[in-house]
């Protein structure tokens, strides 16, 4: 029946959504870690820029632009994978429905809403920004001269 088909579709969509959320959390942690590493690696450069007059807002802007670039690359890569595995998801859903409706005709469609890449990128960027605030606060507290002269 239609109710059973919708139930199965909902279960598959729910499982895929939970998996996507888990991957999103892991990815945000990975990007935030990359930002921490980048900030730590470029500590002398940022200290030098601050010594030359760059304000904290400029440092924040540089780091946010770097994060945005990483997020956009990640979202593009992720959606490339999404469209690559789309046939497997469709065949899985078709196999489950075929097992239920033996001998009956049915149509299976899987679609990705147009707003999903934008929402994903926005959520990803927001979480990344929230996680990178600790590095930005550490940079703001650092003594510029001590940072520049620090041994590598």
């Amino acid at each position: 029946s239609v109710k059973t088909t919708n139930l199965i579709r909902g279960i598959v969509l729910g499982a895929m959504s939970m998996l996507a959320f888990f991957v999103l959390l892991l990815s945000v942690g990975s990007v935030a870690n990359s930002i921490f590493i980048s900030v730590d690696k470029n500590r002398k450069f940022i200290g030098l820029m601050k010594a030359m007059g760059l304000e904290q807002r400029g440092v924040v802007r540089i780091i946010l632009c770097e994060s945005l670039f990483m997020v956009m690359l990640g979202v593009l890569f992720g959606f490339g994978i999404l469209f690559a595995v789309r046939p497997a998801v469709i065949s899985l859903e078709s196999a489950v429905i075929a097992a239920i409706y033996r001998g009956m005709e049915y149509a299976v469609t899987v679609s990705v809403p147009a707003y999903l890449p934008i929402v994903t990128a926005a959520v990803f960027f927001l979480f990344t920004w929230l996680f990178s605030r600790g590095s930005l606060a550490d940079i703001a507290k650092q003594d510029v001269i001590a940072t520049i002269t620090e041994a590598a």
Side-chain angles (χ1 to χ4, degrees):
S1 76
V2 174
K3 283 185 178 184
T4 308
T5 304
N6 287 338
L7 177 66
I8 292 170
R9 183 170 286 147
I11 290 171
V12 170
L13 184 62
M16 294 298 282
S17 297
M18 288 175 56
L19 179 64
F21 182 72
F22 181 69
V23 169
L24 178 70
L25 287 178
L26 288 175
S27 300
V28 166
S30 177
V31 169
N33 188 40
S34 296
I35 291 170
F36 292 145
I37 292 170
S38 173
V39 167
D40 191 51
K41 186 178 84 172
N42 294 319
R43 183 177 302 228
K44 282 187 174 185
F45 172 72
I46 292 170
L48 182 62
M49 295 294 285
K50 285 179 73 175
M52 293 176 63
L54 182 67
E55 294 179 1
Q56 185 64 18
R57 272 184 290 162
V59 173
V60 169
R61 220 176 282 138
I62 289 170
I63 292 172
L64 287 179
C65 286
E66 182 180 355
S67 335
L68 182 62
F69 181 73
M70 281 193 288
V71 166
M72 288 302 144
L73 283 178
V75 167
L76 289 174
F77 181 72
F79 276 97
I81 290 175
L82 174 71
F83 286 108
V85 300
R86 185 173 181 235
V89 172
I90 291 172
S91 78
L92 173 68
E93 188 177 26
S94 295
V96 169
I97 292 173
I100 293 171
Y101 298 115
R102 293 181 195 148
M104 297 176 72
E105 247 183 74
Y106 56 90
V108 175
T109 59
V110 175
S111 63
V112 176
Y115 62 85
L116 192 59
I118 296 167
V119 170
T120 303
V123 168
F124 209 111
F125 187 68
L126 177 68
F127 281 143
T128 302
W129 177 73
L130 288 173
F131 287 140
S132 65
R133 289 178 68 200
S135 289
L136 294 173
D138 289 346
I139 289 173
K141 294 175 189 171
Q142 289 178 352
D143 177 39
V144 174
I145 303 302
T147 301
I148 294 171
T149 59
E150 156 184 299

